Every structure is written in C-alpha cells, then in structure tokens.
Amino acid sequence: FIRLARFGVIVGRALQAESRLTSGDTLRVATILTVTAVCIAGAAQYAFAGEQFTTLWDGVWWAVTTATTVGYGDFTAADGLDAA
C-alpha cells in the first residue's frame, strides 16, 4: 500500500508540473521562440546557400518544413533548381 501511495504522489506531482508547463504564458513563449528560430534558420539558409534558395521565403519555407518534419518543402530539378 505504501508503494502505491508513493506512486500516487509522484503521479500527482507530474500532473502538476505538466499543468504549469502548458499554461498560456509558457506555451505562448515557446511558440514565439520556435517561430523566431524557424525564421532565423530560413534567413540563414537564404544567406549562406543562396544558390539553392532564390528568395528569403524559399529559405523560410525550407525551415518550416524541416522543423515540422513534413518534408514537402524539398526542391527538385522540376522547380528549376539543380538537385544536389
């Protein structure tokens, strides 16, 4: 019974921590940081790999699809770019 009670306390603490992490402020800050990081990564791709990314928005699109692991942002030879 004591082990079960301890397990209940641990689960209760974990649920409280999860509740704090998913509060509006924490989630909002995480979203803003993620969007900022994706935009910076896209701009960096455009700046340093300009031959593959002809516009800033191509770089940002690459960063979005990479961050979300969707993979639909890949450039192909049909897009008029050399496939590397």
Side-chain angles (χ1 to χ4, degrees):
F1 180 75
I2 293 174
R3 288 184 182 177
L4 184 61
R6 286 182 184 168
F7 180 72
V9 169
I10 292 170
V11 169
R13 287 181 183 170
L15 290 173
Q16 287 175 349
E18 188 273 334
S19 176
R20 285 191 307 269
L21 288 175
T22 57
S23 72
D25 291 339
T26 304
L27 192 57
R28 189 173 303 117
V29 169
T31 301
I32 290 170
L33 289 175
T34 301
V35 168
T36 302
V38 166
C39 289
I40 290 172
Q45 281 291 40
Y46 170 67
F48 297 113
E51 66 276 356
Q52 291 179 333
F53 302 96
T54 56
T55 68
L56 173 65
W57 298 115
D58 286 343
V60 172
W61 177 250
W62 171 87
V64 168
T65 56
T66 300
T68 59
T69 66
V70 172
Y72 293 115
D74 296 341
F75 292 113
T76 62
D79 294 331
L81 301 171
D82 293 335

